[in-house]
Amino acid sequence: KRPKQFGEPIFLDSGDSGFSGISESRGRPGYPGGPGRPGVVLVHGYLGCPEQVRPLAEYLHSHGYNVYCVRLAGHGTSSSQLPHVTWADWMDSVMHGYAVMKQHCDRVVVAGFSLGGMLALLAAARLGQDIDGAICINTPVRLRDKRMPLVPAMVRFSRVMRRVGLRKGYAFWRHTTESPGINYDHNYLVGVSEVRRAMAAGRREIRRIECPVQVVQAEDDPLIAPSSGKTLLAELTCDEKVLTELSFNRHMIIRGPGSELVFAKMLSFLGRNRTQHAASENRIAPEPGAIRFRVDSLHAESNDQSK
C-alpha cells in the first residue's frame, strides 16, 4: 500500500531562504520573507507521484538548490481519479509549482521525467524569458507500444459503450511498474489519451522555448523511442540545447542503480546555467563563436542495467 505522504508535494529548501512550515524536508510550502538560492521545479511522470523524483530532489537540495516536487492532478492519491483529469489540469499543476517556487527564488529551472519532461518543456515555452532553464528526462515523442495509434478510436468506442449502458466506469488494465508502491498499478485508456494530447501539444509549442534546455535520453528505453531525444533536440530553436545520451536499457533512470550519473549530468547543466546567469548580470560578453548545441554521450559502465 502506498504511504499517504508519497502523494504530497515535496518542498526542500536550502536553509537560508526564509522558508517556513517544512517538516523533515517534506510538506507544503510556507511563505518566505525574501528570495533564496536558485530553485528547481521537478515534475514526476505519468502514473507516478512526487515520491518518484525524491532521490533527484534530495541530490539537488544537497548541492544548494531549493526544490519543489509538484503533484500532477489525479496522481498520488487513487488511480480512479485519472479518468477525471486532462493534460490541461496537469499543466495547471506544473504552473502552480512554478508560481510557488518563484516566490522564493529569483531564478527557477523546471525539470521533468517522462511525461513530466514534456510538461516541463511546455511550461518553458509558455513562460518565455520568465524561466531560466528546462530539463527533460526520457521524454516521449513517440511511444514504442504499437497499439498507441489505436487509442483515440478505443476511447471513442469505450465512450459509446458507456452511453448505451453496455459498460460501467472507464476502461482500465493492470500493468507492471518499475516503481511498485510508488506508481499506480492501474492504467486508464482515457489517461493514455491525455498523455498523447500532452505530447502533441509539446511538439506544437517547443519552438517557442527561449531558455537553455537539456535533453536526457536513455539509449535503449523500453517505453519510448530512443530517437525521441534527437527529435526534441532538432525541434528546439533556443540558443543553448544539450542532448545527454545515457547507456541505460530501462525507462526509470532517476531511481536505482546508475541514477547518480543522471543527477551529476543535470547538476553540471544547472551549474553552467547558473554561471552564465551570473556573467550576464555582470555584463560579461559571451565568448565569440559560442556553441549553440552539444551532444553529450555518457555510458554507465558499472551499474545494473536491468529493467
Side-chain angles (χ1 to χ4, degrees), residues 91 112-123 136 139-141 198-203 206 232:
M91 273 306 302
F113 167 72
S114 196
L115 167 67
M118 188 60 80
L119 297 175
L121 293 177
L122 274 164
C136 60
T139 296
V141 168
M199 291 164 55
R203 299 288 297 280
I206 191 173
L232 289 172

Side-chain angles (χ1 to χ4, degrees), residues 100-167:
V100 169
M101 185 58 82
K102 194 63 176 178
Q103 295 180 52
H104 311 314
C105 305
D106 293 328
R107 302 186 302 281
V108 177
V109 172
V110 61
F113 167 72
S114 196
L115 167 67
M118 188 60 80
L119 297 175
L121 293 177
L122 274 164
R126 297 179 179 187
L127 288 166
Q129 295 183 355
D130 291 331
I131 194 76
D132 292 275
I135 303 173
C136 60
I137 308 162
N138 282 357
T139 296
V141 168
R142 182 171 61 84
L143 299 170
R144 282 192 165 188
D145 193 326
K146 296 181 179 180
R147 298 170 295 178
M148 287 302 106
L150 301 175
V151 167
M154 295 167 66
V155 169
R156 289 193 294 270
F157 177 75
S158 179
R159 187 179 299 124
V160 170
M161 294 286 282
R162 290 198 310 275
R163 285 177 179 174
V164 299
L166 295 178
R167 169 176 288 166

Side-chain angles (χ1 to χ4, degrees), residues 9 11 18 22 43 56 98 107 117 135-136 143 148 179 186 199 215 239 247 273 287 299:
F11 212 149
I22 306 297
V43 189
L56 173 56
Y98 166 80
R107 302 186 302 281
I135 303 173
C136 60
L143 299 170
M148 287 302 106
S179 302
H186 282 63
M199 291 164 55
V215 179
D239 288 340
S247 61
N273 187 34
E287 297 179 5
H299 295 275

Side-chain angles (χ1 to χ4, degrees), residues 5-11 26-29 50 68-71:
Q5 66 269 22
F6 276 18
E8 296 178 356
I10 300 170
F11 212 149
R26 177 191 295 135
R28 295 179 174 81
Y68 181 62
C69 307
V70 305
R71 181 182 70 84

Side-chain angles (χ1 to χ4, degrees), residues 1-51:
K1 184 178 179 180
R2 183 185 301 105
K4 182 179 179 180
Q5 66 269 22
F6 276 18
E8 296 178 356
I10 300 170
F11 212 149
L12 307 180
D13 74 345
S14 53
D16 62 357
S17 58
F19 285 120
S20 61
I22 306 297
S23 175
E24 297 181 348
S25 297
R26 177 191 295 135
R28 295 179 174 81
Y31 296 91
R37 289 190 278 181
V40 180
V41 177
L42 288 183
V43 189
H44 62 79
Y46 179 61
L47 304 180
C49 63
E51 186 68 22

